[in-house]
Amino acid sequence: MSSHHFLLALLVLACSQALASDPSQLQDFCVAEKMSQVFMNGFACKDPKNVMAEDFFFSGLDKTGDTMNKVGSNVTAVNVNQIGGLNTLGISLARVDFAPYGLNPPHIHPRATEILTVLEGSLYVGFVTSNQANQENKLFSKVLSKGDVFVFPQGLIHFQYNYGTCNAVAIAALSSQNPGVITVANAVFGSTPPISDDILAKAFQVDKNVIDRIQAQFQT
């Protein structure tokens, strides 16, 4: 390959990589105008003349979340819905509280990679890979103590479990201002309208009566 063709190939590759990522900021900020009637990928920008310091502020992440629920955990999200100033910035975070033996159930973030830091207690965490060439879904798991950090790649099923007898607290940073969350069990068994029990029975290789009992736990 000539040097001319080699440089051209590098240029095409660089352009393709740039087009595959989020666009760069074209202004200092784009505070979300949540009352806008304009539908777009994200939120329209508030008029900069009306932007205030409060648009970049959230208070209360020091407060313990209520873990008195079926799974024993609580997620306090801080994304663009709580801080309008996060719009277009591509970051957010969350506080996750765990009661003893509390679980943040298997879930995915369709738009973000997550990096989790344990502040108190210890957690058993893990994520499962997508289908590999050998059709395996490999589990990567680790026991984390205070100060430990673990990464969950974007779009992969992951979980956190407090196997101890004390409360645990973690902070999660995410690479999207609106990462989204799909809890696997809720989505599969609690959708509206529900997925046919015939389909789920075949997918999970169990009797339909089992599916009906599980769905009853998630339908509201």
Side-chain angles (χ1 to χ4, degrees):
M1 179 184 292
S2 68
S3 59
H4 174 74
H5 289 156
F6 179 71
L7 291 174
L8 180 61
L10 285 179
L11 179 61
V12 171
L13 179 62
C15 290
S16 65
Q17 291 295 319
L19 291 173
S21 61
D22 290 335
S24 299
Q25 284 288 107
L26 300 178
Q27 52 205 14
D28 288 344
F29 49 75
C30 174
V31 174
E33 179 53 84
K34 297 177 184 177
M35 302 303 293
S36 173
Q37 297 302 305
V38 177
F39 292 94
M40 56 187 296
N41 187 21
F43 291 95
C45 300
K46 180 185 287 190
D47 187 332
K49 297 191 298 293
N50 299 326
V51 171
M52 302 177 293
E54 283 72 20
D55 292 314
F56 304 92
F57 175 77
F58 175 88
S59 180
L61 212 60
D62 60 317
K63 295 179 174 60
T64 303
D66 183 6
T67 58
M68 297 293 290
N69 51 58
K70 289 183 178 180
V71 295
S73 70
N74 184 284
V75 178
T76 304
V78 185
N79 54 48
V80 69
N81 296 296
Q82 287 76 39
I83 302 180
L86 285 175
N87 192 38
T88 76
L89 297 184
I91 58 170
S92 60
L93 56 80
R95 170 178 172 144
V96 191
D97 288 281
F98 300 85
Y101 308 111
L103 170 70
N104 191 8
H107 62 281
I108 68 171
H109 301 294
R111 295 179 290 276
T113 291
E114 174 183 343
I115 182 167
L116 183 92
T117 304
V118 177
L119 300 183
E120 297 293 341
S122 59
L123 297 172
Y124 171 62
V125 307
F127 68 86
V128 180
T129 63
S130 59
N131 290 334
Q132 304 298 304
N134 57 5
Q135 296 301 303
E136 286 185 352
N137 296 103
K138 184 174 181 180
L139 171 65
F140 289 86
S141 62
K142 189 81 173 174
V143 174
L144 306 182
S145 300
K146 182 177 179 178
D148 290 345
V149 177
F150 200 80
V151 173
F152 306 102
Q154 180 173 340
L156 299 186
I157 293 174
H158 59 284
F159 62 87
Q160 298 105 31
Y161 176 63
N162 178 13
Y163 62 91
T165 58
C166 298
N167 293 334
V169 183
I171 289 288
L174 301 112
S175 62
S176 170
Q177 65 265 14
N178 190 23
V181 60
I182 301 172
T183 303
V184 177
N186 297 50
V188 172
F189 297 108
S191 66
T192 305
I195 300 173
S196 165
D197 55 4
D198 289 312
I199 292 173
L200 295 180
K202 189 167 186 177
F204 287 92
Q205 296 295 289
V206 296
D207 187 86
K208 284 201 300 183
N209 291 330
V210 175
I211 297 298
D212 292 339
R213 287 198 297 271
I214 297 174
Q215 283 183 320
Q217 302 299 312
F218 291 91
Q219 297 292 335
T220 56

